[in-house]
Amino acid sequence: MYSQKVMDYFMNPRNMGEIEDASGVGTVGNAKCGDIMRMFLKIDENGIIQDVKFKTFGCGAAIATSSMATELVIGKTVEEALKITNKAVAEALDGLPANKVHCSLLAEEAINAALWDYAKKNNLDIKGLKPPKEDIHEDEIDEEEE
Ligand code: FES
């Protein structure tokens, strides 16, 4: 079952919406469940993430994880934000049921995709930043945890 925190972030999502003049926007999806997540980042000239908003078309866990992810990256540097894993997002929500872990992976990848967009727009080479994946599968969770 869902933790109270997941329920809270699902019922009262933080930072839901869009940033019109975002520094970077990333959209990712999981073809299997059909869920889609979009992240908007506002990054200042020092590379600090000043604002984050999300829009998620998906399950409750996808909404809760994307909302939690926005809170985890706000105020961080781009490099710090890159290090936030789906595990950290799930832990911040007091855990997720096994069949919902892929939802947190979507949140990690959405941040990555938004950072990629920001780097591309500004011609930046950010260490550790990888091109966004087309489709986020559950199989990738196993690879990451090995
Ligand atoms: Fe796919 Fe939640 S069921 S993101």
Side-chain angles (χ1 to χ4, degrees):
M1 267 327 298
Y2 288 129
S3 71
Q4 269 186 349
K5 230 169 181 181
V6 173
M7 288 311 290
D8 178 29
Y9 275 75
F10 167 55
M11 305 292 273
N12 313 291
R14 283 68 154 174
N15 302 318
M16 195 159 66
E18 292 182 33
I19 300 175
E20 274 195 21
D21 55 342
S23 320
V25 182
T27 308
V28 292
N30 180 314
K32 225 186 215 169
C33 64
D35 290 0
I36 297 167
M37 207 179 267
R38 182 169 293 163
M39 285 275 176
F40 304 80
L41 302 177
K42 185 84 190 154
I43 302 170
D44 71 11
E45 60 283 1
N46 301 315
I48 311 281
I49 300 170
Q50 296 292 352
D51 198 13
V52 192
K53 292 265 188 292
F54 80 92
K55 269 195 156 174
T56 293
F57 180 80
C59 74
I63 290 165
T65 53
S66 39
S67 180
M68 178 53 86
T70 63
E71 289 203 321
L72 292 179
V73 297
I74 216 155
K76 299 261 183 353
T77 64
V78 166
E79 287 77 14
E80 285 167 343
L82 251 187
K83 290 192 193 123
I84 293 169
T85 60
N86 74 300
K87 254 190 174 169
V89 176
E91 271 166 25
L93 285 166
D94 296 336
L96 284 168
N99 64 343
K100 290 287 172 181
V101 172
H102 78 271
C103 318
S104 62
L105 197 63
L106 214 52
E108 177 188 323
E109 292 294 338
I111 294 170
N112 182 86
L115 288 171
W116 178 263
D117 183 44
Y118 161 73
K120 216 173 60 188
K121 280 181 181 150
N122 293 281
N123 272 324
L124 297 174
D125 189 14
I126 301 170
K127 217 175 142 235
L129 184 63
K130 295 192 203 96
K133 297 179 184 119
E134 292 277 300
D135 180 25
I136 314 301
H137 292 291
E138 272 154 280
D139 322 337
E140 285 161 23
I141 294 167
D142 299 328
E143 279 168 25
E144 294 218 337
E145 283 182 350
E146 267 166 22

